[in-house]
Structures are given as structure tokens and as C-alpha cells.
Amino acid sequence: MLIGVPKEIKNHEYRVGLTPAAVKEFTMHGHDVLIEDNAGLAIGFDNDQYISAGASIVDSAEEIFARAEMIVKVKEPQPDECKMLREGQTLYTYLHLAPDPKQTELLVASGATCIAYETVTDSRNGLPLLAPMSEVAGRMSVQAGAHYLEKAHGGSGTLLGGVPGVAPGKVLVIGGGVVGTNAAKMAIGMGADVTILDRSLPRLRELDDIFANQIKTVYSTIDAIDYYSSKADLVIGAVLVPGAAAPKLLTREHIANMKEGSVVVDVAIDQGGCFATSKATTHQDPVYVVDGVVHYCVANMPGGVARTSTMALNNATLPFGLALANKGPMQAMLDDPHLLNGLNVHKGKVTYKAVVDALGEQLGLEYMDAKAAIQM
Ligand SMILES: NC(=O)C1=CN([C@@H]2O[C@H](COP(=O)(O)OP(=O)(O)OC[C@H]3O[C@@H](n4cnc5c(N)ncnc54)[C@H](O)[C@@H]3O)[C@@H](O)[C@H]2O)C=CC1
Ligand SMILES: CC(=O)C(=O)O
Ligand SMILES: [Mg+2]
């Protein structure tokens, strides 16, 4: 198969779809790989390393999209990229369609086969291609929160760890999955006072087993959110209903009731955000203030530590990517229901139910079962 990797074009996005090590795996399996000129240079993967791994360097994204049978990326395709996709071509990347009607329309119009990393599943009810970036974003969320709690960055001037004689800052994590667990690890490491809310009791039990008395676990009710958000110095939004738009758990009133100079980090912003006042920001301009509360809502947080993130992402995407290339996308998806769960759009049909639930009425979309779609 001919695989193409364009340079990422989202704001301050330096990750790249394939590392040189991953390229070597593809070329050793007999595939050809095209890499856009300097696609990985910013994170220390130069053209020579890709050439040594067996890739060819190509001057433009246009040429990659025109020639490749499968496009491997990191972020959702930007409008100019969507317009270059075509029927018969496979796109393998993050999509996050439910909160993004424009991209959904463009992918439907393209006719391409679009597999979303974030909805591929595994046998333990996990999301194996989202997990590595959730680990990164969860760990970064506390780092970002601590930074913006500093006075000079708009915060209340609170040190999360406190010092002997002064109580630590209070961190509220809403959603105790991969992001939430990794946020908790960092916050505990800094010495903060950590509370995790989740609406899954089994998950709260697991968290209690992992962290014991280093955290408080609380069942996620409106009351709990009212109480803990009003006391918090830092709130981290880490909920997910797979593929769907995030539920708005903090209202405008919650934000107004928070302490002046507290910070909210809405990691779930890539699914539309779980705070009513959230709007996506960029690494270049990451924060804004509502009712005295600093909001950090960067939709591609792992892009900030692009080298670590690219390697972590490739560890997870490689086995599925190889299956897509070795067997051909349709056979690979027929053979593996977990990979099939990643299919969101195929030949103009939306094949992921939560996307149709979010956008069907607005865009006039009808849901089609993924297996039926690839067999049509
Ligand atoms: N902004 C960014 O750069 C990044 C964002 N993300 C996003 O972070 C979010 C979380 O991802 P993961 O931790 O991997 O998901 P996950 O599926 O591991 O965890 C989500 C947790 O939220 C809980 N939950 C769902 N509804 C809830 C509610 N109403 N109240 C309390 N808890 C609730 C679930 O029970 C689950 O434990 C996703 O939207 C993901 O796309 C992930 C990586 C990077
Ligand atoms: C998960 C995601 O969207 C990201 O890593 O940018
Ligand atoms: Mg206030």
C-alpha cells in the first residue's frame, strides 16, 4: 500500500503521523511511505531519518493527498485537507466529529473512508488510540493549572502543594478515566488536595484501590459539583461519552461561584467541552477569563509536548495501521470489530451513531451500520 504522511497544519501542532521507527515497520512489510518535506523536523525527526527508514520525501501536502491510498495524520483534517480527500482513500487520524459539523460535512462530501483514532476500542472497554494522548493531556493539565494559578499568569497566587504551615490547593477532577487518573497522579505528586468525581461506581472503586487515602472519590451528582467546584482552586474537566459531544457539567453559575483567580482546564474541549463557558483555545493563546476564573481549553494539548506525544501515539496506532495496510482497510475492519468501531464516515455515510445523534438533524445525516457500509 502507498501511505502518505502530510505535515500537521493546526496551530502549534508539531506531532507527526508516523515516526521513522514506525515507517521502518511499514516499509519492512513491503509498503511504500511518502513523508512531506520536514514533517517531523520540529521534533527531531529529520528527512534523513525517514529516508533511512525507507520513506520517500515529497514536497507538498497536495502531492501526498493526490498519490497516497492511506493518509496517516494526528489531528482532524483542516478544511483544505478535507477538500483533498477522495473516495477510495483511507484517512487514519483523530476526528472528534460530534462537536464539528463543518468537518463532518466535508468528510461526508469527500467519499473517503475515515477512521477516527478516538473511537477504536479494545477488549477491556478501553479506547487504546485515545489513551496515550489522554495520559499526556491528563499529566499536562495539572502542569498548566499550576502555571495559571500563579499571580503573574492571572491566577489567585496559590501553590498547589502548599508549604509547611499553609494548606495545599484544592484540585477537583471531573471524570476519573485516563485523563483524570493521570491528572490525579500529577496533582498528588505536587502535594495538592485532590477530589475525583465520576458517575461510574466501579471506576470510583478502582481509583480508591489505586490511590487509597491520597484522594477523595465522590459520586458525580449536581450537588457534588456545586459543592466541590465552589471550593476548588483548580478544576479539570476529564469526562467522556465516547464519540459524543461532552455533557456540560459546570454551568455559568458554577463558574461565577468559584473563587476569584481559580483555574479551570477543560481537557474534554476536543469533544466540545464539559464547562458551559468553554471555547477551544490554541497553544499560542491558551487562556481567557470568565467571571474571574482563568479558562485553559487547548484542544490539542499533547501537541505541546509533541516529541513525547508522537512516540506514545505511534506505539498505539502502529498495530492497527499495519493491519490496515497489510490486509487492506475493508478486510482489516471486517476481521477486527474494535478497528471497525473506529470507522466514522465511509463513502458519504456516517457510520458512528453518536455523531449522527449529535449532528444528524442539523446536517440531514442518516446513520448507517459500519459493517453494512463497508460491504455496500
Ligand atoms: N484536549 C486535549 O488535548 C485532549 C483531550 N482529550 C479528551 O479528554 C476526554 C477524556 O478522555 P479519557 O480520560 O481518555 O476518557 P475515559 O473514557 O478514559 O474517561 C472518561 C470518564 O468520564 C466519566 N464520565 C462520563 N460522564 C460523566 C459525568 N457526567 N460525570 C462524571 N464522570 C463522567 C466516565 O465514567 C469515565 O470514567 C475526552 O474528551 C478526550 O477526547 C484526550 C486527550 C487530549
Ligand atoms: C486526542 C487529541 O485530540 C489530541 O491528542 O490532540
Ligand atoms: Mg466568582
Side-chain angles (χ1 to χ4, degrees):
M1 180 185 274
L2 182 59
I3 295 149
V5 181
K7 190 166 188 227
E8 293 295 318
I9 56 176
K10 197 164 170 155
N11 181 273
H12 281 270
E13 182 55 77
Y14 305 107
R15 285 175 289 178
V16 59
L18 294 179
T19 59
V23 167
K24 193 166 186 176
E25 298 279 337
F26 280 97
T27 56
M28 294 302 267
H29 279 82
H31 304 294
D32 293 311
V33 181
L34 307 175
I35 303 280
E36 187 177 343
D37 187 32
N38 290 334
L41 186 62
I43 55 169
F45 299 136
D46 63 23
N47 287 351
D48 287 345
Q49 292 175 61
Y50 282 109
I51 292 167
S52 299
S56 308
I57 305 298
V58 162
D59 275 341
S60 67
E62 285 75 14
E63 186 177 347
I64 303 241
F65 278 84
R67 290 174 58 193
E69 295 165 84
M70 177 162 77
I71 302 288
V72 181
K73 272 178 52 64
V74 179
K75 285 317 289 178
E76 66 279 1
Q78 305 301 296
D80 286 347
E81 295 176 311
C82 289
K83 287 172 194 154
M84 292 191 277
L85 290 164
R86 56 186 151 76
E87 190 168 332
Q89 193 170 47
T90 298
L91 172 68
Y92 183 50
T93 192
Y94 287 116
L95 295 178
H96 303 293
L97 292 181
D100 193 348
K102 187 172 172 193
Q103 188 204 163
T104 304
E105 246 179 339
L106 289 170
L107 293 185
V108 166
S110 76
T113 300
C114 306
I115 300 172
Y117 291 160
E118 72 275 8
T119 66
V120 173
T121 52
D122 64 23
S123 56
R124 291 169 300 153
N125 281 327
L127 302 167
L129 305 193
L130 182 61
M133 296 304 95
S134 293
E135 289 165 348
V136 170
R139 289 173 186 221
M140 284 180 82
S141 66
V142 176
Q143 217 167 282
H147 179 79
Y148 288 105
L149 277 168
E150 288 181 24
K151 206 64 203 163
H153 301 137
S156 61
T158 300
L159 181 64
L160 282 179
V163 288
V166 181
K170 288 185 163 50
V171 177
L172 172 64
V173 180
I174 309 180
V178 182
V179 168
T181 304
N182 281 275
K185 277 185 186 162
M186 290 297 120
I188 291 167
M190 284 184 178
D193 172 346
V194 183
T195 303
I196 308 185
L197 305 187
D198 204 292
R199 58 151 193 206
S200 157
L201 266 186
R203 186 60 198 150
L204 291 177
R205 289 197 182 98
E206 285 167 1
L207 290 166
D208 186 70
D209 286 340
I210 298 169
F211 296 115
N213 54 10
Q214 292 177 298
I215 57 161
K216 301 176 199 76
T217 59
V218 177
Y219 190 71
S220 183
T221 59
I222 296 168
D223 246 18
I225 292 175
D226 288 350
Y227 178 78
Y228 286 98
S229 65
S230 72
K231 305 282 180 221
D233 297 293
L234 169 60
V235 179
I236 293 168
V239 299
L240 175 64
V241 178
K248 301 288 180 206
L249 299 177
L250 277 196
T251 62
R252 177 80 198 227
E253 292 68 45
H254 286 126
I255 297 289
N257 284 335
M258 287 180 70
K259 292 182 283 188
E260 185 84 14
S262 48
V263 176
V264 295
V265 176
D266 196 345
V267 185
I269 192 67
D270 58 351
Q271 292 294 145
C274 61
F275 310 148
T277 44
S278 296
K279 57 177 197 291
T281 58
T282 60
H283 285 290
Q284 198 173 335
D285 194 7
V287 291
Y288 59 95
V289 177
V290 178
D291 286 343
V293 175
V294 181
H295 286 56
Y296 177 100
C297 303
V298 175
N300 57 332
M301 290 174 70
V305 290
R307 188 173 162 86
T308 301
S309 297
T310 296
M311 293 189 278
L313 180 62
N314 271 252
N315 291 342
T317 55
L318 180 63
F320 292 102
L322 280 175
L324 289 165
N326 290 343
K327 298 177 175 186
M330 303 312 142
Q331 193 59 49
M333 287 189 276
L334 282 175
D335 288 352
D336 182 352
H338 294 297
L339 181 55
L340 185 64
N341 285 336
L343 188 69
N344 277 225
V345 178
H346 176 67
K347 284 192 187 168
K349 306 286 182 202
V350 178
T351 58
Y352 201 81
K353 186 71 172 52
V355 174
V356 178
D357 290 345
L359 299 175
E361 231 174 83
Q362 184 186 346
L363 301 181
L365 305 171
E366 266 177 49
Y367 167 71
M368 185 169 199
D369 173 70
K371 198 166 183 179
I374 60 175
Q375 288 174 322
M376 65 178 180

